[in-house]
C-alpha cells in the first residue's frame, strides 16, 4: 500500500555467530558483578559492531522483547519503533505497509537472513509485512536513513533486517499453544541445537483468527451484512550450519509461508463494503545457501551466497450481488541473487568490506511476463581510532539492464567525548529506487490505455542526520535525539495526461527522533520514544498521505520475581492526512489514537511457562488506514513447554 505516491568475527565462527548472544553475554569476574557488553549492531555497516561505535540510527528488537510483549506478527513487533508508521488494513493478515522517516512504503528494503524479501510482483516492489510471524525471529534491526551505498536499490528510507534463530547448545524443543479473542487459535513448535562444528534449528507456526472486525459500521448501508476478516497462516523455517574445517563452513536457510485471508472488499458506485468476503491465497518461499572461506584466521573472511525467492499471490473477488468468487487473479514474483562479500582486516580497528552482486527478478501475471537484471559492486571502510573516533564510509555502483549505471555513497562519523561520554553522530548518504517491472512494462489497465514507461529514471534521494546520545548515572539513564532530512527527486507517479507513469514527483521529509531509557532497578526498566515527522509533496505543496506528524511510545518492563515478568506498552499516533476507504475523497483528516497493551508471563517450572496479554486495553475504535478498523479490546492466553536443553 503506497500512497504518493555486511570485521565479522574470527575463523569459522563467522558462519554461525549469534549476535544476540554477543549482545547479551559477558564475562564474570570473581569480585565484580557481571559486565554487560554493548549491544551488537550488524545492519549499519554489514559487520557485527558495538552499538556505541555506530553513527547511523538503528533500533534493535530482540527475541526477548518479542517474547515479553507477546508480539505474534511482524507489524506488532515494529509498532513502537521510532521513525516508522505502520498501516495495516484490518488486523493480522491485512495488507501492511511501513513508512520510514516519511518516505514511501516502497523505499524500505527488507532482508530476511540476508535474503531480499521485497516482492517483484507488486506494482511498487514493496514488502507486505502482514503475513510474517515472529516465532522464529532472533532479532530485528531497523536502520533508518538512505542506505543504497551498501544495500542498493529500494533503500531510500532505510533497511529492516530480520535474523532468525540459530541452534545452539544441547538439543532442545519447545511447543506453544495460545487462544483468545477474535477466534484466535495459535500453535508453534521448534527444535534446535549446535556446537562449534554443526548447528540446526527448525520451526513451524500456525496462526489463525476468524473474527476480526474490520469494517466501520457507518460505511455499510442499513440491512447489509458486515463480515469479519479471517486469517490462516502456516510458516515453516529452518537453518543449518556446518564447519567442514577451520577455514571452510556452509550455511543453509529456508523459509516457506502459506496462508489465506478472507476479507471484505468494496462493490458498487459509489463503492461500499461488500456483503460478501473475497479471498486471497499466498505462498512465499525464501532460501539461501552460503559458503564461508576464511584462509587467514579471521583476517579475510569471504562469503559466497546464492538466494532465491518465490512469491505467489492469487486473489478471487466476490461478486457484490451473488457472493460467488471470480476467477483468480494471480501474480508471481521471483528473484535470484548471487553475491560475494569479503571482509578484510587491514589493521587493528580498520576493516574493508567489499562485495559483488548479480540479481535477476521476474514478474509473471496474466498480462505480462518480464524480467530484469542488475550487477553491483561496493566497498566500505570502517575505522576505530583510540576507541573514541569512529567512521564508516561506503560507495556502490549498480548497473541495471533497463536504465544503466547508478552510483551511491554514504559517510557516517561518530565521536565519544571524553569525560562526559557523550556520543556525537552524523551521517550523509544518497539513495535510489529502480523502476519496478510493473512500472516499466505492464499494461495493467488496457481498457483505459494505461501502460508502463520503459524510459523511467530511478527515484533518487539525498539524506542526512545529526544527533547525540548521553549516558548518565553509570548508564542507568540514557538520552538521545537525532535530527533528519531527506530530499527525494524523480518520484514515479501516475501521469493521467499521458496514461502512464512519469518522473515528476519531488518530496522532502524532515523531523526528529528522541528517546529516554531509564533503569530504575535491575528489575524495572522504562523506555520512551518520540518522533516528529513533516513529509511534504514539494510539487503540490501539501503533506504526504499517511505520515503522522507525531508518534510516541513508552514501554515498561517489571520482573518482581525471577519467575514473573510484566510488560506494558503505550503507543500514541497523532492525526494525519489520508483518503477515505475508496479514495472518492482524496484528502481528509484522519484521527489519531492512543493504544495500551499489557502482557504477563509466569515460569511455573523450569520447563513450563504460562502467559497472557491484553491488546487495546481501552477498546479504541480507531481506523488505520481510514475505512479499516484496528482490532478492539482483545485478550489472549496460553502455555509454552520446553523439552531437553
Amino acid at each position: 500500500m503506497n500512497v504518493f505516491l555486511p570485521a565479522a568475527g574470527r575463523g569459522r565462527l563467522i558462519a554461525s555467530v549469534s549476535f544476540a548472544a554477543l549482545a547479551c553475554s559477558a564475562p564474570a569476574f570473581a569480585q565484580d558483578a557481571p559486565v554487560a557488553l554493548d549491544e551488537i549492531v550488524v545492519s549499519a555497516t554489514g559487520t557485527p559492531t558495538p552499538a556505541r561505535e555506530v553513527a547511523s540510527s538503528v533500533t534493535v528488537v530482540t527475541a526477548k522483547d518479542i517474547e515479553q510483549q507477546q508480539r505474534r506478527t511482524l507489524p506488532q513487533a515494529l509498532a513502537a519503533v521510532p521513525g516508522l508508521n505502520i498501516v495495516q488494513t484490518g488486523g493480522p493478515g491485512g495488507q501492511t505497509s511501513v513508512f520510514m522517516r516519511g518516505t514511501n512504503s516502497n523505499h524500505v528494503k527488507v532482508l530476511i537472513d540476508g535474503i531480499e524479501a521485497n516482492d517483484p510482483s507488486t506494482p511498487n516492489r514493496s514488502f507486505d509485512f502482514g503475513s510474517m510471524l515472529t516465532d522464529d525471529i532472533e532479532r530485528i534491526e531497523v536502520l533508518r536513513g538512505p542506505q543504497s551505498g551498501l544495500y542498493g536499490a529500494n533503500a531510500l528510507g532505510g533497511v529492516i533486517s530480520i535474523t532468525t534463530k540459530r541452534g545452539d547448545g544441547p538439543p532442545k524443543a519447545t511447543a506453544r499453544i495460545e487462544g483468545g479473542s477474535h477466534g484466535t487459535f495459535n500453535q508453534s513448535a521448534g527444535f534446535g541445537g549446535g556446537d562449534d562444528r554443526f548447528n540446526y534449528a527448525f520451526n513451524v507456526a500456525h496462526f489463525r483468527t476468524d473474527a476480526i472486525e474490520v469494517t466501520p459500521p457507518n460505511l455499510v448501508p442499513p440491512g447489509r451484512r458486515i463480515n469479519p476478516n479471517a486469517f490462516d497462516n502456516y510458516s515453516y523455517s529452518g537453518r543449518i550450519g556446518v564447519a567442514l574445517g577451520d577455514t571452510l563452513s556452509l550455511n543453509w536457510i529456508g523459509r516457506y509461508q502459506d496462508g489465506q485471508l478472507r476479507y471484505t472488499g468494496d462493490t458498487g458506485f459509489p463503492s461500499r463494503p461488500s456483503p460478501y468476503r473475497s479471498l486471497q491465497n499466498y505462498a512465499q518461499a525464501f532460501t539461501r545457501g552460503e559458503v564461508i572461506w576464511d584462509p587467514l584466521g579471521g583476517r579475510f573472511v569471504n562469503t559466497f551466497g546464492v538466494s532465491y525467492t518465490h512469491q505467489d499471490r492469487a486473489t478471487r473477488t466476490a461478486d457484490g450481488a451473488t457472493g460467488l468468487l471470480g476467477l483468480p487473479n494471480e501474480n508471481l514474483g521471483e528473484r535470484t541473487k548471487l553475491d560475494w562479500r569479503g571482509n578484510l582486516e587491514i589493521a587493528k580497528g580498520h576493516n574493508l568490506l567489499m562485495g559483488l552482486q548479480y540479481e535477476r527478478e521476474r514478474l509473471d501475471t496474466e498480462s505480462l511476463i518480464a524480467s530484469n537484471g542488475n550487477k553491483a559492486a561496493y566497498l566500505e571502510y570502517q575505522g576505530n581510532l583510540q576507541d573514541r573516533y569512529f567512521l564508516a564510509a561506503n560507495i556502490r555502483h549498480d548497473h541495471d539492464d533497463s536504465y544503466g549505471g547508478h552510483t551511491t555513497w554514504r559517510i557516517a562519523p561518530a565521536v565519544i567525548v571524553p569525560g562526559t561520554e557523550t556520543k556525537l553522530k552524523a551521517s550523509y548518504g544518497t539513495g535510489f529506487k529502480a523502476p519496478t517491472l510493473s512500472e516499466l512494462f505492464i499494461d495493467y489497465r488496457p481498457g483505459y490505455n494505461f501502460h508502463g514507461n520503459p524510459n523511467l529514471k530511478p527515484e533518487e534521494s539525498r539524506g542526512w542526520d545529526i544527533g547525540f546520545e548521553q549516558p548518565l548515572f553509570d548508564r542507568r539513564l540514557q538520552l538521545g535525539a537525532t535530527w533528519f532530512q531527506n530530499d527525494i527527486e524523480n518520484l514515479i507517479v501516475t501521469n493521467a495526461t499521458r496514461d502512464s507513469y512519469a518522473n515528476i514527483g519531488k518530496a522532502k521529509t524532515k523531523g526528529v527522533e528522541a528517546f529516554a531509557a531509564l533503569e530504575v532497578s535491575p528489575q524495572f526498566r522504562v523506555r520512551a520514544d518520540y518522533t516528529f515527522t513533516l513529509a511534504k509533496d514539494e510539487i503540490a505543496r501539501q503533506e504526504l498521505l499517511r505520515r503522522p506528524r507525531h508518534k510516541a511510545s513508552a514501554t515498561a518492563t517489571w520482573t518482581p520475581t525471577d519467575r514473573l515478568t510484566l510488560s506494558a506498552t503505550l503507543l500514541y499516533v497523532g492525526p494525519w492526512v489520508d483518503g477515505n476507504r475508496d479514495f472518492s475523497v482524496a484528502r481528509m483528516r484522519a484521527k489519531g489514537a492512543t493504544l495500551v497493551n499489557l502482557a504477563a508471563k509466569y515460569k511455573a517450572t523450569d520447563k513450563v511457562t504460562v502467559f497472557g496479554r491484553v491488546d487495546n486495553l481501552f477498546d479504541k475504535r480507531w481506523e488505520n488506514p481510514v475505512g479499516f478498523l484496528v482490532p478492539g479490546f482483545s485478550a489472549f492466553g496460553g502455555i509454552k513447554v520446553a523439552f531437553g536443553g
Side-chain angles (χ1 to χ4, degrees):
M1 174 184 301
N2 180 35
V3 185
F4 182 60
L5 329 184
R10 288 285 185 260
R12 61 178 176 271
L13 292 181
I14 186 62
S16 57
V17 61
S18 172
F19 300 125
L22 285 174
C24 300
S25 64
F29 297 92
Q31 297 177 348
D32 298 317
V35 178
L37 296 179
D38 278 335
E39 186 172 50
I40 299 297
V41 179
V42 184
S43 58
T45 61
T47 63
T49 304
R52 69 185 294 271
E53 302 178 14
V54 172
S56 299
S57 297
V58 190
T59 296
V60 179
V61 180
T62 67
K64 182 178 179 180
D65 299 327
I66 294 171
E67 182 179 8
Q68 286 178 342
Q69 299 170 32
Q70 299 173 37
R71 304 295 87 191
R72 302 304 181 208
T73 67
L74 186 56
Q76 293 174 348
L78 294 173
V81 175
L84 303 187
N85 186 40
I86 315 296
V87 179
Q88 184 171 39
T89 58
Q95 184 179 1
T96 307
S97 302
V98 171
F99 300 85
M100 186 180 293
R101 284 187 171 179
T103 62
N104 282 349
S105 61
N106 59 339
H107 292 162
V108 179
K109 172 162 282 193
V110 180
L111 304 173
I112 304 175
D113 292 317
I115 306 166
E116 184 177 345
N118 295 66
D119 190 350
S121 72
T122 61
N124 63 7
R125 202 193 282 116
S126 61
F127 176 73
D128 184 358
F129 292 78
S131 60
M132 187 165 181
L133 308 183
T134 62
D135 293 84
D136 65 336
I137 292 179
E138 178 65 32
R139 61 192 281 118
I140 308 167
E141 295 191 10
V142 181
L143 173 62
R144 299 182 290 280
Q147 305 296 331
S148 293
L150 188 59
Y151 291 99
N154 302 330
L156 278 76
V159 174
I160 296 178
S161 178
I162 301 163
T163 304
T164 60
K165 295 176 180 178
R166 166 192 173 269
D168 187 34
K172 56 186 174 183
T174 60
R176 175 182 60 83
I177 188 169
E178 176 184 65
S181 302
H182 317 301
T184 296
F185 186 53
N186 306 329
Q187 316 90 43
S188 71
F191 70 96
D195 53 30
D196 288 348
R197 293 290 177 179
F198 178 66
N199 65 83
Y200 57 94
F202 300 93
N203 191 84
V204 58
H206 174 225
F207 186 102
R208 173 183 175 271
T209 65
D210 60 15
I212 298 288
E213 296 181 17
V214 173
T215 307
N218 62 295
L219 299 183
V220 181
R224 177 173 288 188
R225 178 171 52 191
I226 301 177
N227 292 310
N229 274 16
F231 176 54
D232 202 354
N233 173 291
Y234 287 89
S235 294
Y236 312 87
S237 64
R239 62 185 302 161
I240 298 173
V242 181
L244 302 180
D246 292 338
T247 62
L248 191 65
S249 300
L250 306 177
N251 286 337
W252 172 82
I253 299 160
R255 182 180 196 87
Y256 179 75
Q257 299 174 173
D258 184 8
Q260 68 171 219
L261 174 69
R262 293 188 178 273
Y263 67 96
T264 298
D266 294 338
T267 186
F269 183 82
S271 67
R272 293 289 186 269
S274 172
Y276 304 102
R277 291 187 297 186
S278 298
L279 177 66
Q280 182 185 80
N281 290 90
Y282 62 87
Q284 302 170 312
F286 307 88
T287 190
R288 176 173 172 83
E290 293 180 338
V291 177
I292 297 90
W293 180 47
D294 176 16
L296 301 178
R299 302 261 332 240
F300 186 36
V301 180
N302 297 267
T303 302
F304 305 87
V306 56
S307 304
Y308 173 73
T309 66
H310 178 107
Q311 302 188 62
D312 190 355
R313 294 181 182 270
T315 302
R316 301 179 67 188
T317 303
D319 183 89
T322 67
L324 296 176
L325 294 174
L327 295 175
N329 178 18
E330 191 165 0
N331 294 275
L332 169 63
E334 292 181 307
R335 179 181 291 108
T336 302
K337 188 173 184 177
L338 307 174
D339 60 85
W340 164 75
R341 183 177 72 243
N343 183 20
L344 175 64
E345 182 182 1
I346 54 180
K348 183 176 177 59
H350 302 271
N351 295 276
L352 282 180
L353 185 71
M354 60 202 83
L356 300 173
Q357 296 177 352
Y358 172 77
E359 67 177 289
R360 176 162 290 276
E361 59 182 27
R362 178 176 177 268
L363 168 68
D364 188 344
T365 70
E366 294 179 356
S367 60
L368 175 70
I369 297 178
S371 65
N372 192 49
N374 183 77
K375 298 177 286 292
Y378 61 86
L379 181 68
E380 177 182 78
Y381 165 77
Q382 184 180 2
N384 177 340
L385 294 176
Q386 301 177 350
D387 204 34
R388 289 284 177 182
Y389 307 94
F390 312 100
L391 176 66
N394 54 53
I395 188 169
R396 176 177 173 127
H397 183 76
D398 288 80
H399 191 277
D400 187 275
D401 291 351
S402 295
Y403 64 83
H406 204 90
T407 300
T408 50
W409 55 275
R410 180 175 175 85
I411 184 169
V415 59
I416 307 294
V417 180
T420 64
E421 297 301 304
T422 306
K423 177 180 174 180
L424 304 177
K425 61 178 187 173
S427 72
Y428 185 95
T430 62
F432 82 106
K433 176 189 170 293
T436 69
L437 291 171
S438 178
E439 292 164 343
L440 290 170
F441 305 119
I442 200 168
D443 296 331
Y444 70 94
R445 289 194 294 176
Y448 295 90
N449 195 34
F450 192 94
H451 51 84
N453 181 359
N455 297 315
L456 288 172
K457 297 181 293 185
E459 299 177 339
E460 299 177 317
S461 75
R462 302 181 307 278
W464 60 268
D465 57 33
I466 185 169
F468 77 95
E469 296 175 14
Q470 179 64 62
L472 296 169
F473 308 116
D474 197 26
R475 302 180 68 88
R476 296 183 65 178
L477 173 63
Q478 299 186 63
L479 308 169
T482 301
W483 291 262
F484 65 86
Q485 180 171 312
N486 295 293
D487 294 280
I488 309 171
E489 298 180 345
N490 292 331
L491 277 170
I492 299 172
V493 299
T494 301
N495 187 345
T497 62
R498 298 181 181 178
D499 297 318
S500 185
Y501 296 102
N503 294 103
I504 58 176
K506 185 177 181 180
K508 176 177 289 188
T509 75
K510 58 184 178 181
V512 62
E513 299 161 351
F515 78 92
L518 174 63
E519 181 183 298
V520 180
S521 71
Q523 293 78 32
F524 187 61
R525 294 177 172 86
V526 182
R527 179 183 173 103
D529 290 276
Y530 168 74
T531 305
F532 171 79
T533 306
L534 183 59
K536 284 193 172 183
D537 180 337
E538 293 289 279
I539 304 299
R541 298 293 180 182
Q542 56 190 11
E543 288 192 43
L544 301 179
L545 303 185
R546 298 178 178 171
R547 277 77 156 182
R549 288 195 177 193
H550 305 282
K551 176 185 176 180
S553 65
T555 300
T557 305
W558 183 33
T559 309
T561 72
D562 291 341
R563 293 186 177 273
L564 177 64
T565 301
L566 306 173
S567 173
T569 302
L570 180 148
L571 174 65
Y572 168 75
V573 179
W576 72 94
V577 180
D578 203 350
N580 66 349
R581 181 175 169 118
D582 66 352
F583 271 80
S584 58
V585 178
R587 297 183 66 84
M588 60 184 295
R589 183 176 174 83
K591 295 181 179 180
T594 300
L595 305 180
V596 176
N597 304 323
L598 306 176
K601 68 171 185 173
Y602 179 72
K603 197 169 185 179
T605 71
D606 290 341
K607 303 294 185 181
V608 178
T609 301
V610 294
F611 56 84
R613 75 181 188 277
V614 173
D615 291 343
N616 198 351
L617 175 65
F618 299 108
D619 196 31
K620 292 291 185 179
R621 302 280 79 189
W622 182 41
E623 298 178 23
N624 180 22
V626 170
F628 297 87
L629 288 172
V630 168
F633 175 89
S634 312
F636 310 88
I639 186 171
K640 183 178 181 180
V641 181
F643 309 90

